[in-house]
Amino acid sequence: MRGFLSKCSMLLLLLVILLVAGVSQSGAASFNKLDKPSLSERWFGIYVDSERVGFYRQTISETSDGYRIEGDGSVRVKVMGFSREATSREIYLVAKNLTLRSFNVEQTVNGALSHVSGKVTDTTLRVKTETNGSVTDKLIKIRGDVYPGPALNLYPLMRPIAAGKFYIIQTFDPEEIKVKDVKISVLGEEKSPRSEEHTSELQSPCNL
């Protein structure tokens, strides 16, 4: 159950068919990149076997040197006949190119609260974990740029993309306290079921 909500929100944001303003209407499998993420509030449902088990809300606001990405959500599922509930609140500060600068994540699983915060330097990620009154500090060496989970769906949209293209980037997992490589693939283009506008469809990331 630990990490279920965070992983659901990440997969949800990547599986959802993203409505993109300014996308080419020609029907060709190429798209105009976004100059910046949409500064708005978005709500998503989380489903398991077609049953809605929770929600995730995300807001993005602009800062002097980048963006502030906030998310909160709740999930309740049954595991082996027992009800399990998780809630989370995430705050990520990122640069203009969406690279991670600092973060603050709180999660409550069946009443147990955990708090993970950290900051990125040139070559390291400093992480502080607080659980059940215990505080742990961890220093993770990184190579290159690291992106928070909620930015993964935006990453390809702010670059020239085409069907079949893929990206391998690093993301920080606040549940396992690890930096992981993930692969994001651009599947193609289709129309939104609620409009005639074209959308881009992304495949959920997989750990490499």
Side-chain angles (χ1 to χ4, degrees):
M1 186 66 184
R2 177 172 170 77
F4 180 79
L5 177 59
S6 179
K7 289 177 175 58
C8 277
S9 65
M10 183 185 297
L11 291 173
L12 174 67
L13 291 172
L14 283 143
L15 288 171
V16 69
I17 299 175
L18 302 165
L19 187 61
V20 181
V23 171
S24 170
Q25 298 295 312
S26 65
S30 62
F31 312 93
N32 295 328
K33 69 175 183 177
L34 299 180
D35 293 327
K36 60 191 299 185
S38 175
L39 305 180
S40 62
E41 177 180 278
R42 295 174 182 268
W43 288 80
F44 306 95
I46 299 175
Y47 293 82
V48 174
D49 296 330
S50 300
E51 178 185 358
R52 190 170 76 173
V53 297
F55 72 91
Y56 185 79
R57 180 186 68 89
Q58 184 189 72
T59 60
I60 301 178
S61 57
E62 198 161 11
T63 65
S64 60
D65 59 352
Y67 304 99
R68 178 186 175 99
I69 303 176
E70 296 187 54
D72 60 84
S74 178
V75 168
R76 176 177 291 180
V77 297
K78 284 189 175 181
V79 180
M80 303 294 290
F82 295 93
S83 179
R84 298 290 185 267
E85 183 174 1
T87 61
S88 74
R89 177 172 174 77
E90 307 171 307
I91 300 176
Y92 298 95
L93 294 180
V94 301
K96 292 291 187 181
N97 63 355
L98 304 180
T99 54
L100 182 62
R101 290 293 177 263
S102 64
F103 62 92
N104 194 316
V105 178
E106 289 187 359
Q107 179 169 284
T108 302
V109 178
N110 295 328
L113 175 66
S114 64
H115 180 202
V116 181
S117 59
K119 186 175 182 178
V120 177
T121 65
D122 290 339
T123 59
T124 60
L125 174 60
R126 296 181 178 274
V127 182
K128 180 180 180 181
T129 305
E130 301 174 65
T131 305
N132 298 324
S134 176
V135 179
T136 303
D137 293 309
K138 185 175 183 179
L139 190 64
I140 302 174
K141 291 185 178 181
I142 57 176
R143 62 186 195 285
D145 294 331
V146 176
Y147 298 83
L152 296 184
N153 64 319
L154 298 170
Y155 177 90
L157 302 181
M158 294 178 67
R159 288 154 179 80
I161 60 175
K165 190 174 182 62
F166 68 88
Y167 304 89
I168 297 176
I169 62 176
Q170 295 182 105
T171 186
F172 174 65
D173 184 339
E175 306 302 331
E176 297 185 23
I177 318 295
K178 290 182 179 179
V179 173
K180 301 178 177 180
D181 288 338
V182 297
K183 180 179 179 180
I184 303 173
S185 300
V186 181
L187 299 182
E189 178 185 27
E190 65 180 45
K191 291 183 178 180
S192 165
R194 295 186 179 181
S195 73
E196 292 301 311
E197 295 185 69
H198 288 248
T199 64
S200 61
E201 186 175 1
L202 307 178
Q203 186 179 48
S204 60
C206 57
N207 296 332
L208 300 178

